[in-house]
Amino acid sequence: MLRRSAVARPLVDATGPDDDVWVVGGAVRDLLLGVTPRELDVVVTAPVDGLAQRLAPVVARHERFGTVEVEPSPGVRYDIARARRERYAAPGALPDVTPVDAIEVDLERRDVTINAMALRVRDGAFVAYPGAQQDLVTRTLRVLHPQSFEDDPTRVWRAARYAARLGGTVEPETAGWAADADPGTISGARHGAELRLALGEPDPAAVLTTVRRLNPRFLPEGFDPDPDGVAAALALLPRGGRRDLVRLAASCAGVSLPVLLPWLEALELTTAERTIVGAGSRPSTLAPLRTARTPAEIQRAAAGAPDEVVALAGGPNAERWFTTIRHVHLEITGHDLRAAGVPAGPELGRRLQRALDAKLNGELDPSVPVRQAELAAALTDDPLPIR
């Protein structure tokens, strides 16, 4: 199975006949499902550096856990870890690790049974936690022991991701333990990392819906996992826009600002990301664009706003902004107005905006060249009509 996988080829080539090297976790699950894994989690029952050096230069090292990351070829990444046992000093704490020599012991630290499977590289030997294969057949998400979510509450996020990705269900006893998990024992940054992964899934709404069903405390009050209007907003969003932030902002429309802003900061979203989510989730921010009556009013409402916020406003005005209005520019500049006697300062900007309004609303004199018509509109002292 591994030898037929292009992703695994560098690992197969670097593994000697006596090396105890295993592919574990999600990659094994995907291979059994006939899905090509995007990266490999590799476990060795010896120090990791020997195998890592035969594969490729190390691109990252995590001393606490004794793991390294290598990229043996473009687009291929391996996480290489020493087989280990984990112990949690306190709920939500990062684990203390102890090296072990048996893959079966290493599998006992996994999050769910369908990820507690391993394939030995040299001969294809298969080892699985009891019941793992049957759970994969039935798409059942089951943790390995009752303290799993207490040890690491982020496993609630992971169980939801796997359930959505596989079209599976969370086993009832596992769901009961998830409901008792305390999200407050892990940092906001770890929640933020899991939220980003959820938003990047093929079906984010399914992941977020499952998280809320398993344990509502993992999301703020008023959070809507599957809000109306997301599909329309995403359809409007130009290429390169942040689809994850569009969805997150829409989901947060029912979250009060005193709750939302500290939550976003705790998740360690960047300032720009918090601005998009905060503005895009507020009806008061979106209203001016939705109610604009003229192209000039659309331009004033949308100019300077992130694309994600404009897409969330939606409707014909947002579509006009993306398709035509945002591409309309003046041929004149402030230098032209200075040459015409307008003093430097705020007056320049006001007169340029006056000319742009006239151009957008079709109010320039069509009998003269465009630059001349723009200059005339900028220099007039008469208020322009609103159409």
Side-chain angles (χ1 to χ4, degrees), residues 33-100:
L33 293 173
V35 177
T36 301
R38 293 173 291 182
E39 58 184 34
L40 298 185
D41 289 330
V42 179
V43 169
V44 295
T45 56
V48 299
D49 285 330
L51 177 63
Q53 290 171 2
R54 297 201 299 272
L55 279 166
V58 172
V59 297
R61 185 179 294 274
H62 308 283
E63 298 291 351
R64 178 186 177 98
F65 304 114
T67 64
V68 297
E69 298 177 28
V70 299
E71 292 183 352
S73 61
V76 175
R77 178 175 288 249
Y78 299 161
D79 291 334
I80 306 175
R82 174 74 184 266
R84 65 184 190 256
R85 177 184 286 112
E86 295 181 343
R87 292 288 183 267
Y88 293 81
L94 294 175
D96 299 314
V97 303
T98 304
V100 297

Side-chain angles (χ1 to χ4, degrees), residues 192-210:
E194 294 295 335
L195 177 61
R196 291 177 188 277
L197 291 173
L199 293 169
E201 285 288 314
D203 189 353
V207 180
L208 296 169
T209 298
T210 302

